[in-house]
Amino acid sequence: MKRLLLLLLIFLLAAGSFALMGKIKQLNKEITSRFEGRRWELPARLYGRPLELYVGKNLTKKDLLREFELLGYKAAEDMNTPGTYRIHGSHINIHCRAFRFADGRRAGKTIALTITHRHIRSLIDTADGKDIALFRLEPLQIAAIYPRDNEDRLLIRLKDTPPLLVNILLLTEDSKFYHHIGIRPLAILRALLANIRAGKTVQGGSTLTQQLVKNFFLSSEQSLKRKIHEALMALLLEYHYSKDEILETYLNEIYLGQAGKRAIHGFGTASRFYFGRNLDELTADQLALLVGLAKGASFYDPRRHPKRAKKRRDLILMQAGKAGLLPPAAVQALRQRPLGITERIASSITRYPAFVQMARRQLKRDYREEDLRSEGLGIFTTFDPIMQQKAEKSVQQTLAAIEHDRKIDADTLQATLILCSVDQGEVQAVVGDRFPGRAGFNRALDMRRPIGSIIKPAIYLNALSRSDRFNLLSLLDDSPVSILSNGKNWQPQNYDKTFHGPVVLRQALVHSMNVATVRLGMELGLDSVIDTLHRLGISEKITHYPSLLLGAVDVSPISILQMYQTIAAGGYRTPLRTILTVMDRNGRILQRYPLTVEQAARPAPVFCLTNTLQEVTRTGTAASLKHLLPPALTVAGKTGTTNDLRDSWFAGFSGSHVAVAWVGRDDNKSTGLTGASGALRVWAGLMNKIATRPLVPEPPENIDFYYSDVDNGRLFADQCRQGTLIPFIRGGILPPVTPCMAPDPAQHPEQPVTRPNNLGQTLQQGIRQLLRIFQ
């Protein structure tokens, strides 16, 4: 065939003019230069975290099914194809897809697991029956960054393409593909005569090679000149490249649909776009539908013209049956099936715009925009779709409930909610709008609002870091104060409009006393407090006004998340991150984003602060959490409310997660909500639903516990076992000692009591006491 093509080209050159010879040379150069590498501009694809499965993992069947839904897995008893699962009671079998992770490619396999009481109890490989220590489902693609021409393309190789697709495609579009030279003169002549008789275009004579030339090189112009160029280029293409190379390029280039501004090119992309599944998972009727789109993707669009698309699909199935590609009985059954097209998501770019915006900002520090749009990068992120779904649900349901209960006009309130891990600082969920799929202003990243009392832990940490002057039972002054600021006298007030006189430091934070906090902050010094805020992770510039001590400073929610992550991690700041690894289109690692940790505060003062923030959630301004969270889920946190009840904040953490919630109005009018009545409820709605560990802080070596009279700021005498165990930094200042309250343990000399100086001693004494009781 190559020799025939060469003779035909020589004939054309000999018979044609010098102009034609020059044109053929020009077209030949264009063919070889562009087709040689077949290097398309490929979008970068962002993936969420892979769901890790292992025995003992906290996972509900409901969450696993939600993961299946997002990944496009289908329930099937036979599980013949990847992307299917079967459930019988607590037993779940999964036929997992192959996937190329950052650490290597994993083949598809079938696994079986058992889930009871919200935990995985067994996990085995069904091929050999052996236990699996750890298995990862493939991650969800959460977004793509498309080339400037907005072409979306997922490359496939001919050897990996389902043979039935190739056979149906060739049968429908070009049955003589492997036998012609790129053009079929007789077919062109027949089509020309048919079109002349009909007075319009009713028949095409293009080969598959000509269709590729038309898509790859030429415009959609209809003219004799373009048709001649198309034929010449088809001949040149067939001369330079093999049939398989041409067919593979066609499979990846053919236009098969439109999603807003995004053009769907190639069968790999179309499979995901229409069915939410990989090409090798499609059934014969689904493959036939895709082949039918090659004739006219807009005309046969199954979402806009389902009847027309089904008629085309059924015709192709009948032709496949007649050609022996499908059994006749199977054809009849397949024609009865619905189209099975997935619902198109509202945003053609991503359904998670707030998180993707954050990820793109991190990427732009290391990659050019043109590389993100054209190099086909694989970007693995920290995003957790299950956490995100629960965060979105908490925002939407809680705001609707608040508006209903308080008779606020529907959709008046706005909110943001962000979640990250304590130890790694991995951002797992970002809600930047009450309607989270709506791209636009991202409140989580770009909103700057006064933060109220959630600033106070930084002030108290600053004080506790000076253990020679302050401890949790130090007495503060909560009496009226007037401070000259910017030429005016500023007289801060407590929320309850009363003053409490001398108050214990711990109680001042637990009950969020404004005046005592201001007096403490002024004693510490504004510069020192601002330095503490910046070390904890606040990135915004802070003006030296005394009112900053009550949160009169505009800060973003993401900065607050960083601050509380540092506190939750024991004073070790881990910069928040969304990106873990970046791969090129060939699977080679371009960059890893390792964990970085910096000590921002000493562990002992942070432990004392955390102990107090736990008390905030038990008896303080966040005490309502007792009714909103499971009893075993211990947490720490702080409420925040700004002037005129404009902003409602809550920031807090469990043993493994940190979250920040804000509720307010975009017009900055009053919401009538405190931190406890607004944002706290949003925060609790998330933490109540996710798998998270209770907060049980490990005391540093230099922490001692003493039984204390918290209300009066004193320690009980050595022989007492009364009051509350309070942590103190060893070597620091201690409160005065007060006598025991009746009954006096001195009446029982057979049970001498010593003051516990650490939690371990306390537990040991408790065990000894129990042993005495049961002896």
Side-chain angles (χ1 to χ4, degrees), residues 195-217:
N195 294 339
I196 291 173
R197 281 196 294 267
K200 60 180 180 179
T201 302
V202 296
Q203 193 177 119
S206 296
T207 63
L208 188 146
T209 310
Q210 288 174 275
Q211 292 181 41
L212 177 59
V213 166
K214 186 163 48 178
N215 276 277
F216 207 62
F217 299 102

Side-chain angles (χ1 to χ4, degrees), residues 275-294:
F275 300 108
R277 298 174 66 77
N278 293 337
L279 194 60
D280 60 357
E281 300 169 17
L282 299 190
T283 55
D285 56 307
Q286 293 171 328
L287 294 174
L289 178 74
L290 295 184
V291 169
L293 293 172

Side-chain angles (χ1 to χ4, degrees), residues 530-606:
I530 291 172
D531 179 66
T532 299
L533 286 164
H534 285 153
R535 282 189 290 108
L536 290 176
I538 299 297
S539 59
E540 286 83 357
K541 182 179 179 181
I542 301 175
T543 307
H544 291 59
Y545 290 131
S547 57
L548 78 86
L549 298 170
L550 298 183
V553 54
D554 292 344
V555 177
S556 66
I558 197 68
S559 277
I560 299 298
L561 185 69
Q562 181 70 80
M563 170 179 160
Y564 276 78
Q565 181 277 326
T566 306
I567 296 171
Y572 292 91
R573 184 179 67 248
T574 300
L576 300 179
R577 57 181 182 154
T578 57
I579 310 297
L580 298 176
T581 311
V582 178
M583 294 193 316
D584 67 11
R585 66 174 70 193
N586 299 314
R588 190 182 67 217
I589 301 294
L590 296 180
Q591 189 162 355
R592 296 185 188 274
Y593 290 80
L595 184 69
T596 59
V597 180
E598 180 180 351
Q599 185 172 353
R602 296 195 305 276
V606 175

